[in-house]
């Protein structure tokens, strides 16, 4: 655990007692604070009470008397579409509002670091799509290279739940826009921006607010190195803002859209080959086509970002290449579930928005596509150019018929539930095709999470195949 610094003897309120909130309360107590906790869920309050925390309704009058700060869990709105009433009360009274990410960055460094031969490093990854795979891939490469590394944040453990890093250790954090938007301290050594596509727009009052939340990771603390995906205008702008000159290699530009040129530090993938250029010379090249855990252009982008981050930490290209081959991928992200009679069954339940689904579709040649769910803002028009490889779509979700109507030019079948969709796709799939779950929608109309949806897909596939 990372005990929180600078809170000894202070009364600190914690709103939201899920995974990150309860860990924050423990870390605050370990740092000498007196946490007072609240969650609208009675079960969460009971869990906090069982650990000896004071449970106080923070919405009641004078709840903030003597409170030094409010720590808010990432799922609780603090500004848009409107602040949670407890957050609004704290803002009104001038109580500093923070989250566990802010507490981590102000607490992770210890006096022991001055005695280490190599100071620990923090790598933080954000972006719209691919940040989980990129984070896990960086962690995997470091471990395979013999480096002490921990994975936390929006993936794995809560940031305050990890062990204090040892000599030369690396902490790899996946950070969502919800986390970067509120944190009062953001000081990674290496910061990674994968890409940007419309998502969570209601929470950030539009695309500009969403990008601004991501940008804070780079603007607030000034990382020693920034790895920036430049295939969107926002990434190009961010890279330009951070670089002092064309050859400034504190910024590593990454692309899978084109060959990058210039005097800077560049990593790009074209036709399945990753290339690294530095000081106008090629210094590394990897054939990504043979790496089974990273299929498709979107995973090649993840590989480029992870490669660049690991190169900035001093790892050699051949060490990174060897580790890439042993990466098995993450569940629910281009995950191969089964292969039978020449047909592959792939679970990409994490493709919850149009951009992620388009990238998933681009990874395979002929697809039996299972899609649908709780549709996000913006409709499906931007997805249509990626559907050329779709032999047929099997649409699930409560509004499956409405979803199917938007897939113009694609043969569709309204199946509504996963079992029916998998049954029909398995029955019609031919050798050389891929049955792909890439919903292009949230899961909450039928499932508690995208993980539950992916697990259901896998179970249905196995049932149909008799596996």
């Amino acid at each position: 655990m990372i005990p929180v610094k600078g809170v000894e003897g202070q009364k600190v309120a914690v709103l939201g007692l899920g995974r990150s909130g309860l860990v924050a309360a423990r870390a605050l107590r370990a740092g000498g604070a007196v946490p007072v906790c609240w969650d609208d869920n009675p079960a969460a309050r009971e869990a906090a009470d069982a650990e000896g925390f004071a449970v106080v309704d923070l919405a009641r009058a004078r709840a903030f008397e003597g409170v030094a700060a409010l720590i808010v869990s990432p799922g609780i709105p603090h500004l848009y579409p409107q602040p949670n009433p407890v957050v609004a009360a704290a803002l009104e009274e001038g109580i500093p509002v923070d989250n566990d990410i802010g507490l981590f960055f102000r607490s992770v460094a210890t006096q022991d670091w001055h005695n280490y031969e190599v100071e620990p490093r923090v790598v933080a990854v954000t972006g719209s799509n691919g940040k989980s795979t990129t984070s896990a891939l960086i962690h995997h490469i470091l471990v395979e290279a013999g480096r002490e590394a921990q994975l936390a944040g929006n993936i794995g453990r809560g940031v305050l739940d990890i062990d204090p890093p040892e000599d030369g250790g690396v902490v790899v954090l996946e950070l969502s826009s919800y986390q970067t938007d509120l944190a009062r301290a953001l000081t990674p050594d290496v910061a990674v921006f994968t890409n940007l596509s419309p998502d969570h727009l209601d929470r950030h009052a539009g695309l500009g607010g969403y990008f601004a939340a991501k940008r804070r990771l780079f603007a607030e603390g000034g990382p020693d190195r920034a790895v920036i995906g430049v295939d969107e205008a926002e990434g190009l702008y961010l890279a330009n803002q951070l670089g002092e000159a064309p050859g400034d290699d504190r910024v590593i530009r990454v692309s899978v859209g084109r060959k990058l040129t210039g005097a800077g530090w560049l990593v790009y993938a074209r036709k399945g080959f990753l290339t690294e250029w530095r000081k106008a010379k090629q210094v590394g090249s990897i054939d990504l086509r043979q790496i089974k855990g990273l299929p498709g252009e979107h995973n090649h982008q993840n590989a480029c970002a992870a490669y660049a981050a690991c190169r900035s930490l001093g790892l050699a290209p051949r060490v990174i290449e060897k580790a890439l081959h042993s990466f098995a991928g993450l569940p629910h992200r281009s995950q191969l579930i089964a292969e039978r009679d020449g047909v592959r069954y792939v679970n990409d339940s994490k493709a919850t928005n149009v951009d992620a689904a388009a990238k998933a579709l681009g990874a395979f040649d002929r697809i039996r596509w299972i899609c649908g769910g709780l549709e996000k803002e913006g409709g499906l028009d931007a997805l249509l150019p990626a559907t050329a490889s779709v032999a047929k779509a099997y649409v699930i979700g409560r509004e499956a018929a409405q979803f199917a109507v938007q897939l113009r030019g694609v043969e569709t079948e309204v199946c509504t539930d996963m079992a029916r969709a998998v049954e029909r796709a398995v029955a019609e799939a031919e050798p050389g095709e891929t049955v792909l779950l890439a919903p292009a929608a949230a899961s909450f109309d039928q499932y508690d999470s995208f993980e539950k949806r992916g697990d259901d897909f896998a179970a249905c596939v196995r049932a149909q195949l008799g596996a």
Side-chain angles (χ1 to χ4, degrees), residues 199-215:
D199 207 357
H200 308 303
L201 300 187
D202 58 335
R203 179 67 180 263
H204 299 293
L207 186 61
Y210 178 51
F211 174 56
K214 302 285 189 186
R215 184 179 177 274

Side-chain angles (χ1 to χ4, degrees), residues 211-384:
F211 174 56
K214 302 285 189 186
R215 184 179 177 274
R216 291 191 76 245
L217 181 62
F218 304 84
E220 294 298 312
D224 296 334
R225 278 256 158 66
V227 176
I228 310 293
V230 295
D231 287 335
E232 295 88 28
E234 292 85 358
L236 275 173
Y237 171 79
L238 182 57
N240 183 271
Q241 289 255 299
L242 296 171
E244 294 295 331
D248 187 351
D249 67 2
R250 292 174 301 175
V251 179
I252 307 177
R253 290 168 170 81
V254 168
S255 176
V256 290
R258 65 191 188 282
K259 177 180 178 179
L260 297 177
T261 59
W265 197 345
L266 313 169
V267 178
Y268 61 88
R270 291 188 72 209
K271 298 180 179 179
F273 286 87
L274 179 153
T275 301
E276 177 191 2
W277 281 79
R278 192 173 185 186
K279 301 185 186 302
K281 294 181 180 179
Q282 181 175 322
V283 295
S285 178
I286 298 174
D287 184 353
L288 299 174
R289 298 171 302 173
Q290 306 304 315
I291 300 175
K292 293 183 177 180
L294 296 166
E297 186 176 277
H298 60 308
N299 275 312
H300 293 174
Q301 182 181 59
N302 300 333
C304 286
Y307 176 96
C310 290
R311 289 287 286 138
S312 76
L313 294 172
L315 272 64
R318 294 298 145 228
V319 171
I320 298 172
E321 180 177 10
K322 182 180 178 182
L324 290 178
H325 281 279
S326 61
F327 182 66
L330 290 179
H332 315 295
R333 298 160 177 89
S334 297
Q335 178 189 15
L336 181 63
I337 299 298
E339 191 165 359
R340 177 78 62 84
D341 299 328
V343 179
R344 289 179 292 182
Y345 298 86
V346 176
N347 167 23
D348 206 331
S349 184
K350 186 61 171 65
T352 59
N353 60 44
V354 164
D355 185 64
K359 290 176 178 175
L361 291 173
F364 306 100
D365 293 329
R366 187 165 171 83
I367 299 167
R368 300 283 169 176
W369 178 30
I370 298 176
C371 58
L374 187 62
E375 189 179 335
K376 295 187 176 181
E377 287 185 37
L380 303 178
D381 285 354
L383 183 56
L384 297 182

Side-chain angles (χ1 to χ4, degrees), residues 337-340 345 426 458-467:
I337 299 298
E339 191 165 359
R340 177 78 62 84
Y345 298 86
V426 170
C460 290
V461 167
R462 293 180 180 121
Q464 286 294 318
L465 299 182

Side-chain angles (χ1 to χ4, degrees), residues 126 283 388 401 405 426 428 463:
T126 195
V283 295
V405 166
V426 170
E428 297 184 347

